[in-house]
């Protein structure tokens, strides 16, 4: 996939602020430091694009980027902060939960995990959070796979695929390394295979 245009569109702290058009969208989420910003930059070929999501004040917002004027890449706020107050958790749940429940143009969610420690409690919590949303596809993207050996990669992938099969047909699994630029095209291909050429949901 050729990305010709990638633009930051808006940051939303309330559902009423989300873009009003209905371009198909893919949401990215992961524990902090899992490599999500690097991945967004890699995917769009624009280093620095995701920086905006990391600036203070923006980390708890939903950030929309319009790609090729035809779909949105959505950076969702982090979750599972050990030190988060009940109030912060409640506001995350209402914002992200509301977004997931009320966004018909949401095609899929990319849950980014660390290959060295996939399925941490915070990852599990998120997967559970999406468990009744079977209309939204999930890609479990196992990042930083450069940090583990070939044999370990095969093991991690097989275990994740087994779990995906047990969870449902809407779950997909891929390995990725932002550092080594591995898995970029397969990731793009998976996302685009979920929408048809006219932009409708496949
Ligand atoms: P975010 O908090 O999830 O947005 O994570 P960042 O994209 O800011 O990355 C967190 C750290 O992980 C940084 O030090 C990156 O250089 C590093 N990182 C990102 N992707 C990879 C990767 O594929 N492999 C390795 N080894 N490190 C990575």
């Amino acid at each position: 996939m050729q990305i010709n245009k990638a633009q930051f569109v808006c940051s939303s702290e309330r559902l009423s602020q989300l873009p009003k058009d209905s371009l198909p969208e893919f949401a990215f989420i992961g524990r902090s430091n899992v490599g999500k910003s690097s991945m967004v930059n890699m995917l769009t070929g624009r280093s620095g694009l995701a920086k905006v999501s990391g600036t203070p004040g923006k980390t708890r917002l939903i950030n929309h980027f319009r790609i090729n004027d035809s779909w949105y890449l959505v950076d969702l706020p982090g979750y599972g902060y050990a030190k988060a107050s009940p109030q912060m958790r409640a506001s995350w749940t209402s914002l992200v939960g509301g977004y997931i429940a009320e966004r018909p143009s949401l095609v899929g969610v990319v849950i980014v995990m660390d290959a060295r420690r996939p399925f941490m409690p915070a990852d599990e919590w998120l997967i559970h959070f999406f468990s009744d949303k079977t209309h939204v596809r999930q890609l479990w993207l196992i990042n930083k796979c450069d940090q583990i050996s070939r044999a370990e990669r095969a093991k991690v992938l097989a275990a994740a695929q087994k779990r995906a099969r047990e969870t449902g047909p809407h779950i997909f699994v891929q390995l990725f390394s932002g550092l080594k630029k591995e898995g970029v095209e397969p990731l793009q291909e998976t996302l685009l295979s979920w929408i048809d050429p006219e932009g409708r949901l496949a």
Side-chain angles (χ1 to χ4, degrees), residues 3-65:
I3 295 201
N4 307 312
K5 204 168 166 190
Q7 302 161 279
F8 168 70
V9 175
C10 63
S11 295
S12 311
E13 60 180 329
R14 283 190 293 278
L15 299 177
S16 59
Q17 297 169 329
L18 294 169
K20 300 283 181 282
D21 54 24
S22 54
L23 291 177
E25 54 194 52
F26 303 104
F28 282 66
I29 192 158
R31 290 184 289 115
S32 64
N33 225 30
V34 84
K36 188 180 59 154
S37 312
S38 316
M39 178 177 296
V40 168
N41 289 333
M42 190 71 50
L43 186 67
T44 57
R46 284 264 311 269
S47 61
L49 191 69
K51 235 193 220 154
V52 62
S53 314
T55 53
K58 300 269 187 195
T59 50
R60 275 180 241 147
L61 308 178
I62 296 180
N63 294 296
H64 270 74
F65 303 90

Side-chain angles (χ1 to χ4, degrees), residues 6-196:
Q7 302 161 279
F8 168 70
V9 175
C10 63
S11 295
S12 311
E13 60 180 329
R14 283 190 293 278
L15 299 177
S16 59
Q17 297 169 329
L18 294 169
K20 300 283 181 282
D21 54 24
S22 54
L23 291 177
E25 54 194 52
F26 303 104
F28 282 66
I29 192 158
R31 290 184 289 115
S32 64
N33 225 30
V34 84
K36 188 180 59 154
S37 312
S38 316
M39 178 177 296
V40 168
N41 289 333
M42 190 71 50
L43 186 67
T44 57
R46 284 264 311 269
S47 61
L49 191 69
K51 235 193 220 154
V52 62
S53 314
T55 53
K58 300 269 187 195
T59 50
R60 275 180 241 147
L61 308 178
I62 296 180
N63 294 296
H64 270 74
F65 303 90
R66 194 166 49 232
I67 310 295
N68 288 355
D69 288 327
S70 59
W71 54 277
Y72 283 116
L73 189 160
V74 182
D75 193 3
L76 291 179
Y79 64 94
Y81 298 116
K83 294 187 203 114
S85 64
Q87 205 178 7
M88 272 167 70
R89 279 178 204 274
S91 77
W92 184 92
T93 304
S94 107
L95 180 65
V96 179
Y99 166 79
I100 302 291
E102 293 171 28
R103 197 73 179 158
S105 53
L106 176 64
V107 179
V109 180
V110 179
I111 299 178
V112 187
M113 292 187 266
D114 187 322
R116 293 166 296 186
R117 299 176 289 273
F119 304 105
M120 295 275 285
D123 303 323
E124 294 287 1
W125 187 84
L126 187 69
I127 289 168
H128 182 254
F129 186 75
F130 286 108
S131 59
D132 60 340
K133 284 133 189 130
T134 50
H135 61 288
V136 178
R137 291 174 174 91
Q138 286 178 36
L139 176 58
W140 296 346
L141 201 60
I142 302 177
N143 191 29
K144 304 195 184 183
C145 68
D146 55 277
Q147 293 291 301
I148 59 174
S149 69
R150 254 174 213 291
E152 280 172 303
R153 281 186 200 200
K155 244 165 89 179
V156 166
L157 184 62
Q161 281 170 333
K162 179 169 181 289
R163 246 198 91 181
R165 277 195 303 274
E166 289 163 0
T167 311
H170 61 297
I171 311 285
F172 300 74
V173 180
Q174 276 176 7
L175 294 174
F176 192 90
S177 165
L179 190 74
K180 300 279 182 199
K181 297 192 169 73
E182 278 179 50
V184 181
E185 280 195 16
L187 168 59
Q188 293 175 333
E189 277 163 22
T190 297
L191 298 185
L192 291 190
S193 75
W194 292 349
I195 44 178
D196 79 8

